[in-house]
Amino acid sequence: MFFNQLKQAVQQDWEAYTQHDFLRQLAMGTLPKESFQYYLKQDYLFLLHFTRAWGLAIYKSQDFPQMRYAQAGVNAMLDTEIQLHIEYCRDWGIAEEQLIKEPEASACVAYTRYVLDCGLRGSLLELHTALMPCLVGYAESVDWIMQQPFTVLDNNPYRPWIEMYASPEYREAVQLAQDHLEQMATDTTPAQQQRLIEIFRTATRMETAFWEMGLHQLP
C-alpha cells in the first residue's frame, strides 16, 4: 500500500509523532489539565483551517467523484466534527466564546498554512497526502496507547478522547481516506513519490510540533 510506503519512508518521524510524551501522559492520566485545555483550544482553530483545506480539495478536483469525496470531508467537519469539539471543550470548562477569541499558536499557524500551501501550489494528491498524518496518525496513536502497559483507562479523565479515536466510526473514516489515497497514487512516478514522501514527512513533523505545543503550552 502506498500509505505504508510513506510511513516506512519517514518511520522515525512517524514514531516521534504517534508515540509522543503528550500521548504517554494522556494515557497515564497525568497530562496537566491546562496542557490538554490549551491543546483543545488550538485544535478548534486547527479544525477551522482543516475544513478550509477540504474546501480547497473541491476546487482542485477534476471530476465529480473527487468533488463529492472532498465535499463529504467538508460536510463532516461543518455538520458534525466542529460541533462535537465545541461540546467536548465545554465539558472541559472552555466556552465557545473562548475558542473564537483564542490566539493562534505558532505551531498551529505553521501546520495549517503548510497544508493549505501544499494544496494551493501542488496537486490534489499532494494536498490529500498533507492531510493524511492527521487523519491516520490519531488512530495509530490510540493503537499505540492501548498497547502500552502504563495506560490506565479507569478514572482517566482523557478516556473519552482515547475512545473517540478508537471508535469504529473514526476507523471507517480512516480506512476510506487510505483507500482514496491508494487510488489517487496509482501510476505515480518515482519523482512524484519522492515529493509526496517529503510532504508527508513535513506534515508528520508538524503534528509532533502540535503535541509539543499542547504539552508545553507554547504560544
Side-chain angles (χ1 to χ4, degrees):
M1 290 182 64
F2 182 65
F3 177 78
N4 288 336
Q5 294 177 29
L6 292 175
K7 194 169 64 171
Q8 290 168 7
V10 304
Q11 184 174 0
Q12 187 173 352
D13 290 312
W14 188 256
E15 290 179 358
Y17 160 38
T18 58
Q19 302 175 23
H20 194 272
D21 196 42
F22 181 96
L23 298 165
R24 179 182 296 269
Q25 293 186 35
L26 185 146
M28 297 170 66
T30 60
L31 181 70
K33 174 183 175 181
E34 295 76 15
S35 292
F36 192 66
Q37 288 173 318
Y38 187 68
Y39 156 77
L40 288 177
K41 288 185 281 188
Q42 291 299 318
D43 201 37
Y44 170 84
L45 300 172
F46 174 86
L47 290 174
L48 186 153
H49 296 294
F50 203 61
T51 306
R52 293 177 63 209
W54 280 106
L56 179 58
I58 297 175
Y59 174 77
K60 300 287 288 192
S61 297
Q62 298 297 315
D63 55 48
F64 287 121
Q66 291 285 0
M67 288 180 176
R68 291 190 185 98
Y69 176 79
Q71 182 190 28
V74 172
N75 292 346
M77 300 299 293
L78 292 178
D79 297 340
T80 305
E81 298 301 326
I82 292 175
Q83 188 56 42
L84 287 175
H85 189 79
I86 291 171
E87 293 171 1
Y88 186 57
C89 286
R90 191 178 298 123
D91 292 340
W92 280 88
I94 306 168
E96 185 174 358
E97 293 74 20
Q98 292 176 266
L99 296 173
I100 295 170
K101 295 178 181 178
E102 179 73 13
E104 196 172 359
S106 298
C108 187
V109 173
Y111 186 11
T112 57
R113 301 325 187 271
Y114 175 75
V115 171
L116 287 166
D117 187 59
C118 284
L120 289 167
R121 296 192 303 123
S123 66
L124 180 62
L125 176 56
E126 290 175 358
L127 174 57
H128 280 299
T129 299
L131 291 169
M132 288 299 287
C134 178
L135 286 166
V136 183
Y138 272 50
E140 296 206 2
S141 294
V142 167
D143 286 343
W144 176 76
I145 285 173
M146 297 305 293
Q147 294 168 5
Q148 304 312 307
F150 53 73
T151 296
V152 177
L153 294 180
D154 290 343
N155 299 316
N156 187 332
Y158 306 115
R159 181 172 182 167
W161 187 93
I162 295 170
E163 291 179 340
M164 174 169 54
Y165 292 108
S167 69
E169 294 81 6
Y170 189 75
R171 298 311 170 108
E172 183 179 350
V174 168
Q175 188 60 57
L176 181 64
Q178 288 181 288
D179 291 344
H180 182 258
L181 185 75
E182 206 68 31
Q183 294 171 3
M184 292 190 69
T186 303
D187 298 329
T188 50
T189 67
Q192 289 172 324
Q193 291 176 12
Q194 188 58 43
R195 169 63 179 158
L196 295 172
I197 287 170
E198 292 310 313
I199 289 172
F200 188 79
R201 185 193 310 277
T202 300
T204 297
R205 293 174 66 187
M206 294 285 187
E207 281 286 357
T208 303
F210 208 86
W211 291 143
E212 283 288 308
M213 171 210 68
L215 183 61
H216 302 294
Q217 302 175 54
L218 302 175

